[in-house]
Each structure stands twice: as structure tokens, then as C-alpha cells.
């Protein structure tokens, strides 16, 4: 089944015309069939009402709820707008009882076509799922912690050749923060010599996002397999951890009333790895990496705990921890304390401390104009603090196409830092 789904591409240039055609066909169905019993005046009025609802929903999501720090983006709203307006029009049409079941079914089908068209357009913009196989999980094989500890002979032989991705629960010491399940990559060398100490990369997704995104969208299995195969099975352990708790939460990688997330990344995660896996105790062999707000978190961790993590990859991160703007960030994210905000702002920390032993790569997409300016600010601040910094750009925007390429490109640099 997965093999068949890999034949259904989602990022080809002709996907956009298909997405637009689906939305237009569905809109025609709503206008000419679902709303057929209604006058033109009522149809236009319902469309206008749908536009009002769209504006209200946009305000509630982006200004009141604000689930994503940088916002959902103009392109997302443009693709989603027809489905929101059509939903209002379909509801209005159903107040006419004549043949309402038939019109209800037609309305549901039309709305689903619009939703599919919107999803295709949004996916294309963010360059996320390349085929339908990735949408359903991509066939990425993971094992549980119990399976790792009790392998049969065939499994043990396969893992010594291929490594393994293990689902683990790394608990937080703070009960107010509940991280989602982490994914830990163990290279083939771990299974050949379980006592050998290995370097570590702690890796994070953006928000919204999950650790599993790195398996499917970030192409982490392919990247690690290729690296390990070129190094006789030797590679870092990669722990993909959650620093959000849910799709809509953003505790800003800090210790606040929303949870002690800084403690989680800087103490709980390293503590669990040291207790359960043969990881290096040399901070020179520890790195932290992330994308978007996860990239911001990576830089926060390095500037707060330079004796724990010496290397980092900041992929399209923000210059400062933020929930839309500085005022809201301090008020909602840091309990109204500017002092707490500055203690977790990497640019502020780099302007007041020296980091001669730290090094990192700051990267972004060449068309990611919204984040480029902030990343240049980070680059200048890092250089002034004594860090060894490189900047790299990749074709694309604020998308997985950029982040997967940036991690693959940064892995050899990290390995050199680790002495692999």
C-alpha cells in the first residue's frame, strides 16, 4: 500500500491547478445546486455573511487564540477562505426544507472537495508532504523501548546493520509540563558495541509540530542511514524531543508558570539519556538543533547552558522567543516579567556573555524573507559573543524542504565537531 501511495506526488507544479480546480468545482456545486432554491439576493447575502465569519475567525485565531507564534500565514488563510465561506452558505441553504437531505449530502461533498483543495495548496506552499505515503506515515519503522530491550535474533541482526528509531517517554521533572513521546535514533554502532560512548544531538520540531515530523517530513531516517553507511555504522545518537506539550502550546522553551521546559531540555533529557544509553559525557560531543521556534529553542539552550551543549543548528529560528510581539510575549509567556524574558532571550544573553567554546550554523530558506532579518541579527550577536558561526541558505521558504536539507548538510559539520 505504501509503495502505491509513493506514486501519488503532492509537490509537483501541476498540484496547484488541481487544487484550484477542486475548489472552483465545489464552489459551483454550492452555488448552482446546494443553494438552487434560494434567490440570488440570498445567495450573495450568505456569501457576504461567510466573508464576515471569515474575518471574525481570522481575528479570533490570530489575535485572541494565537496558536502559532508567527501566525498561520496569509497563504494559509487564502486557501482556507473558500471552505469557511462555503460552510456558511451551505448552512443557510439547509434552512430550506425542500430536498434538504439531497442538498445536505451535496454540500458535505462539496465542502470536502474544498478542504482537499485547500490542503493541497497549503501543503504545496510549505513544501511538506512530498507524496501521499508521507501523509499516512511514510512506512517509517519505529520500535518501542521494550522491543529494543528484548529483541529476537532476526531483529538484532537487522539493527546492527541499519540502526533503529525507538519510541520513548522522557518524563519531565515538572508535573505541569507533559512532553509528548520522543523518538531516539540509535546507529548501527550502538548495536555492535553497546558500551561505546556516542555523541548526542537533541533535535526539535517547530510549532505546530511533533517529534514524528522529523521522521516523515524531515527525512531523518534517510539522512542518518546515509551518514552511518559512509562511516562504517558510526553516527551520533539523535533524540527528537518535544518542547511544546501539544500542537497549540508554546511555552517558549523556558521555565515559567507554563512549565519548566528549559529544565526539561537542559536537565531531564540529558539525565534520561545518561541513565539509559551509552552517551558521551563530553559537552563537546553534545549538540542541540531545531527548526523555526525549535531553532530559537536550540539557541536559547546553548546560551543558557554552554557547559552542557557546545554546538547547535538554528534552522529558520526566530531572533527572540515570541508570541506575536514583545509586549504579548512578556505578558502571556513570561508572567509579565521583562527580567525573565531577557534571561531566556538568546540575543540579550549573547550581548552580556562570552561563548568562545560554542559554535553553530544558522540557516534559512532564500525566500524566507519573514525570518531572514531576525537570523541576520542573531548571526551578528553570536559573532560578537565570541561564537564560531556559519550562515547557510537553501532554496525554498519557511518549509521542510529547507529544514531537511539544512540538517543533512549540517550533520557532517557536527560530526567533525564531535570528532567522529
Amino acid at each position: 500500500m505504501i509503495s502505491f501511495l509513493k506514486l501519488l506526488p503532492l509537490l509537483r507544479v501541476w498540484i496547484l491547478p488541481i487544487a484550484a480546480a477542486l475548489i472552483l468545482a465545489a464552489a459551483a456545486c454550492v452555488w448552482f445546486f446546494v443553494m438552487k432554491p434560494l434567490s440570488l439576493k440570498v445567495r450573495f447575502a450568505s456569501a457576504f455573511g461567510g466573508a464576515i465569519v471569515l474575518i471574525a475567525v481570522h481575528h479570533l485565531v490570530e489575535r485572541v487564540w494565537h496558536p502559532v507564534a508567527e501566525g498561520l500565514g496569509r497563504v494559509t488563510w487564502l486557501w482556507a477562505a473558500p471552505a469557511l465561506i462555503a460552510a456558511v452558505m451551505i448552512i443557510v441553504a439547509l434552512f430550506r426544507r425542500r430536498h434538504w437531505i439531497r442538498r445536505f449530502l451535496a454540500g458535505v461533498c462539496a465542502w470536502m472537495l474544498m478542504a482537499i483543495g485547500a490542503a493541497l495548496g497549503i501543503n504545496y506552499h510549505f513544501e511538506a508532504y512530498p507524496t501521499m505515503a508521507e501523509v499516512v506515515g511514510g512506512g517509517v519503522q519505529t520500535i518501542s523501548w521494550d522491543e529494543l530491550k528484548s529483541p529476537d535474533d532476526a531483529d538484532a541482526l537487522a539493527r546492527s546493520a541499519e540502526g533503529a528509531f525507538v519510541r520513548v517517554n522522557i518524563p519531565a521533572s515538572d508535573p505541569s509540563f507533559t512532553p509528548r513521546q520522543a523518538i531516539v535514533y540509535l546507529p548501527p554502532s550502538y548495536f555492535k558495541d553497546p558500551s561505546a560512548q556516542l555523541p548526542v544531538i537533541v533535535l526539535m520540531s517547530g510549532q505546530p509540530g511533533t517529534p514524528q515530523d522529523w521522521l516523515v517530513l524531515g527525512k531523518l531516517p534517510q539522512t542518518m542511514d546515509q551518514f552511518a553507511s559512509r562511516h562504517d555504522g558510526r553516527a551520533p545518537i539523535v533524540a527528537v524531543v518535544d518542547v511544546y506539550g501539544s500542537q497549540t502550546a508554546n511555552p517558549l522553551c523556558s521555565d515559567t508558570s507554563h512549565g519548566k521546559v528549559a529544565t526539561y531540555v537542559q536537565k531531564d533529557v540529558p539525565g534520561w539519556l545518561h541513565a539509559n544509553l551509552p552517551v558521551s559525557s563530553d559537552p563537546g560531543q553534545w549538540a542541540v538543533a531545531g527548526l523555526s521556534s525549535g531553532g530559537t529553542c536550540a539557541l536559547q539552550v546553548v546560551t543558557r547552558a554552554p557547559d552542557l551543549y557546545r554546538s547547535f543548528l538554528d534552522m529558520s529560528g526566530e531572533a527572540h522567543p515570541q508570541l506575536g510581539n514583545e509586549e504579548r510575549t512578556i505578558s502571556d509567556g513570561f508572567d509579565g516579567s521583562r527580567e525573565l524574558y531577557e534571561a531566556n532571550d538568546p540575543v540579550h544573553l549573547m550581548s552580556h556573555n562570552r561563548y568562545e567554546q560554542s559554535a553553530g550554523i544558522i540557516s534559512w530558506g532564500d525566500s524566507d524573507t519573514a525570518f531572514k532579518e531576525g537570523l541576520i541579527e542573531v548571526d551578528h550577536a553570536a559573532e560578537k559573543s565570541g561564537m564560531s558561526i556559519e550562515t547557510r541558505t537553501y532554496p525554498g521558504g519557511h518549509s521542510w524542504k529547507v529544514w531537511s536539507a539544512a540538517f543533512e548538510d549540517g550533520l557532517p559539520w557536527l560530526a567533525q565537531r564531535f570528532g567522529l
Side-chain angles (χ1 to χ4, degrees):
M1 182 64 175
I2 294 297
S3 298
F4 171 74
L5 293 177
K6 287 182 178 179
L7 300 176
L8 302 177
L10 299 177
L11 295 181
R12 301 289 177 82
V13 68
W14 41 263
I15 285 294
L16 288 182
I18 289 177
L22 287 174
I23 292 174
L24 289 173
C29 178
V30 172
W31 186 266
F32 292 108
F33 182 78
V34 178
M35 304 198 76
K36 184 177 180 179
L38 305 178
S39 66
L40 286 177
K41 181 179 179 180
V42 174
R43 295 187 207 185
F44 281 113
S46 63
F48 179 76
I52 297 298
V53 170
L54 171 64
I55 293 171
V57 170
H58 179 275
H59 177 78
L60 289 172
V61 171
E62 299 287 40
R63 304 298 180 186
V64 180
W65 182 23
H66 205 74
V68 181
E70 60 267 22
L72 297 180
R74 187 176 303 171
V75 172
T76 299
W77 284 104
L78 286 174
W79 280 106
L84 288 171
I85 294 173
V88 174
M89 297 174 70
I90 292 168
I91 291 171
V92 170
L94 293 178
F95 279 98
R96 293 294 294 267
R97 295 184 178 181
R98 185 183 178 187
H99 304 305
W100 74 271
I101 294 179
R102 187 187 307 170
R103 288 184 286 110
F104 170 76
L105 294 175
V108 169
C109 291
W111 192 87
M112 290 180 65
L113 284 178
M114 281 192 173
I116 292 171
L120 289 172
I122 293 169
N123 181 73
Y124 185 88
H125 173 71
F126 287 105
E127 300 174 300
Y129 298 97
T131 72
M132 278 299 298
E134 284 77 18
V135 174
V136 300
V140 177
Q141 296 295 319
T142 62
I143 61 173
S144 68
W145 183 253
D146 291 338
E147 290 174 307
L148 173 70
K149 294 301 181 181
S150 304
D152 58 33
D153 292 340
D155 288 338
L157 182 62
R159 291 167 195 166
S160 66
E162 302 172 1
F165 285 88
V166 189
R167 304 183 304 275
V168 300
N169 292 308
I170 303 180
S173 55
D174 177 14
S176 65
F177 175 63
T178 305
R180 291 166 291 181
Q181 194 171 57
I183 302 290
V184 175
Y185 167 74
L186 299 175
S189 60
Y190 166 83
F191 298 96
K192 294 176 181 177
D193 184 5
S195 64
Q197 292 190 336
L198 294 171
V200 177
I201 302 172
V202 174
L203 184 60
M204 296 165 289
S205 68
Q207 188 264 341
T210 69
Q212 287 74 17
D213 290 344
W214 267 107
L215 298 187
V216 179
L217 305 178
K219 302 178 181 178
L220 186 63
Q222 297 92 317
T223 297
M224 300 312 301
D225 285 349
Q226 291 170 8
F227 182 88
S229 67
R230 292 194 298 265
H231 294 81
D232 298 322
R234 298 178 68 235
I237 289 174
V238 181
V240 192
V241 302
D242 177 38
V243 291
Y244 304 104
S246 74
Q247 289 281 23
T248 57
N250 186 359
L252 299 172
C253 193
S254 305
D255 284 355
T256 69
S257 61
H258 302 289
K260 293 184 177 180
V261 183
T263 296
Y264 181 68
V265 185
Q266 295 163 205
K267 293 184 179 180
D268 300 338
V269 169
W272 188 93
L273 292 171
H274 278 293
N276 292 279
L277 294 169
V279 296
S280 173
S281 58
D282 178 5
Q285 292 196 317
W286 280 70
V288 59
L291 64 93
S292 196
S293 56
T296 311
C297 184
L299 194 58
Q300 288 175 276
V301 170
V302 164
T303 52
R304 288 186 310 227
D307 293 334
L308 294 175
Y309 297 89
R310 293 280 170 81
S311 305
F312 70 92
L313 300 179
D314 177 359
M315 297 170 278
S316 305
E318 298 146 330
H320 313 273
Q322 59 110 348
L323 295 174
N325 58 59
E326 185 177 284
E327 181 181 0
R328 177 173 184 154
T329 300
I330 294 173
S331 174
D332 296 351
F334 291 99
D335 309 318
S337 170
R338 174 168 286 277
E339 184 179 60
L340 184 58
Y341 167 73
E342 292 177 345
N344 290 279
D345 176 16
V347 172
H348 179 84
L349 291 171
M350 287 185 291
S351 68
H352 289 76
N353 300 284
R354 301 292 297 172
Y355 297 95
E356 284 88 354
Q357 292 183 302
S358 300
I361 298 175
I362 300 170
S363 58
W364 62 86
D366 56 14
S367 60
D368 190 3
T369 55
F371 281 72
K372 177 180 178 180
E373 183 177 343
L375 288 163
I376 291 174
E377 177 187 356
V378 169
D379 174 43
H380 292 163
E383 288 184 345
K384 289 180 180 178
S385 74
M387 284 189 187
S388 176
I389 293 293
E390 290 185 37
T391 59
R392 300 180 182 179
T393 60
Y394 303 88
H398 200 69
S399 68
W400 278 101
K401 176 184 176 182
V402 169
W403 304 322
S404 60
F407 183 78
E408 181 181 10
D409 192 38
L411 186 56
W413 177 85
L414 286 176
Q416 187 176 22
R417 290 272 298 171
F418 295 156
L420 281 181

